[in-house]
Amino acid sequence: SLAGSAGGLPGGDGSDDGSDDVLTTLAALAPQHRDVLVLRYWDECSTPEIAAVLACSPSAVWVRLHRARQAFRAAHPTTGGAR
């Protein structure tokens, strides 16, 4: 997994801005979902850049992002997921 653990992501400093919930949710996601979200939102990679890193087509990146966002929403406490 590219992201490793959520501890390596920005915002894991214990501040009370909701970032701990985000990091916990990311850590709970399947690696393929976590990787594509981290590349897009933390590393700010474009679709072609993500496609190159993940060795897939740009259209596959869009599908992976869609599925990863759905998984994140389902798992995140403030978006109606697991608590």
Side-chain angles (χ1 to χ4, degrees), residues 15-81:
S15 60
D16 192 23
D17 61 0
S19 62
D20 286 343
D21 285 344
V22 170
L23 295 176
T24 300
T25 302
L26 279 172
L29 293 178
Q32 67 270 20
H33 291 157
R34 183 172 49 248
D35 290 347
V36 74
L37 290 173
V38 168
L39 285 167
R40 170 66 85 203
Y41 297 107
W42 264 264
D43 296 336
E44 299 179 352
C45 292
S46 67
T47 299
E49 291 170 331
I50 296 170
V53 170
L54 298 179
C56 64
S57 69
S59 60
V61 170
W62 285 108
V63 171
R64 291 180 189 196
L65 278 167
H66 175 73
R67 291 177 181 163
R69 288 182 196 118
Q70 285 181 317
F72 185 89
R73 270 188 226 106
H76 194 266
T78 62
T79 58

